[in-house]
């Protein structure tokens, strides 16, 4: 029993260390950027955007077409809930950020354009809500748009 408790405690510390590293990475990479209020949410464990995210894509396209981002750096920042491994969560958050970037490039009929957009995956770092409920997990599975 003590061995099991020790192992569980070790896992908690590893997760806490990962969150600290996520926060450090976010501060370093997002310094000077501002977050747009647009957020893209995903079904659990997937890169499939929910229905509200589809309308956000259309609005984001209008901003690009209107020249809002001209001369600005754009970063797609992905996040996950805390389900699964910390490394897996970083990967899925990065995959989600890439998926939104690629979708925007396709909507703009300029796939090479997406190469200039940065992506960052922060996994379960910087949660918006507690991951103890399905609602909270849904809030944390997101991609945000940051500009500088």
């Amino acid at each position: 029993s003590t061995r099991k408790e020790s192992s569980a405690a070790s896992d908690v510390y590893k997760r806490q260390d990962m969150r600290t590293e996520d926060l450090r990475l976010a501060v370093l990479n997002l310094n000077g950027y501002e977050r747009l209020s647009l957020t893209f949410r995903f079904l659990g464990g997937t890169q499939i955007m929910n229905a509200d995210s589809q309308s956000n894509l259309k609005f984001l396209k209008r901003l690009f077409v209107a020249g809002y981002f001209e001369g600005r750096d754009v970063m797609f920042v992905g996040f996950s809930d805390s389900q699964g491994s910390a490394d897996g969560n970083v990967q899925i958050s990065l995959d989600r950020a890439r998926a939104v970037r690629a979708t925007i490039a396709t909507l703009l009929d300029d796939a090479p354009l997406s190469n200039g957009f940065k992506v960052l995956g922060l996994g379960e770092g910087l949660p918006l809500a507690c991951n103890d409920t399905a609602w909270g997990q849904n809030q944390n599975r997101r991609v945000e748009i940051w500009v500088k």
Side-chain angles (χ1 to χ4, degrees):
S1 173
T2 304
R3 177 181 246 168
K4 223 182 238 188
E5 289 170 6
S6 174
S7 175
S10 174
D11 288 345
V12 168
Y13 291 126
K14 285 178 190 172
R15 276 208 187 273
Q16 187 173 8
D17 289 345
M18 186 62 195
R19 289 183 182 141
T20 301
E21 179 60 22
D22 289 341
L23 182 57
R24 187 184 74 75
L25 183 65
V27 168
L28 289 174
N29 284 285
L30 296 175
N31 188 28
Y33 281 81
E34 295 178 17
R35 185 179 67 84
L36 294 182
S37 60
L38 289 176
T39 302
F40 302 89
R41 301 210 189 281
F42 296 80
L43 303 178
T46 74
Q47 295 175 41
I48 300 170
M49 286 181 246
N50 68 12
D52 290 339
S53 295
Q54 298 300 321
S55 64
N56 285 345
L57 282 170
K58 292 174 187 170
F59 181 72
L60 187 60
K61 178 185 177 181
R62 286 196 301 272
L63 289 176
F64 272 103
V65 170
Y68 179 80
F69 299 105
E70 195 168 321
R72 301 178 84 180
D73 293 331
V74 177
M75 187 176 307
F76 294 82
V77 184
F79 301 88
S80 71
D81 58 30
S82 65
Q83 304 302 304
S85 72
D87 288 341
N89 288 337
V90 168
Q91 185 61 53
I92 196 161
S93 66
L94 184 58
D95 291 344
R96 288 172 175 158
R98 288 177 177 148
V100 174
R101 176 183 69 177
T103 302
I104 287 299
T106 299
L107 288 174
L108 295 172
D109 296 324
D110 190 357
L113 178 67
S114 68
N115 293 331
F117 301 155
K118 298 176 184 173
V119 293
L120 179 64
L122 295 177
E124 61 195 70
L126 306 176
L128 293 178
C130 181
N131 279 297
D132 292 344
T133 66
W135 180 87
Q137 291 168 9
N138 183 55
Q139 295 303 301
N140 294 327
R141 293 187 301 262
R142 69 194 189 280
V143 170
E144 298 174 347
I145 311 299
W146 290 68
V147 296
K148 168 162 84 164

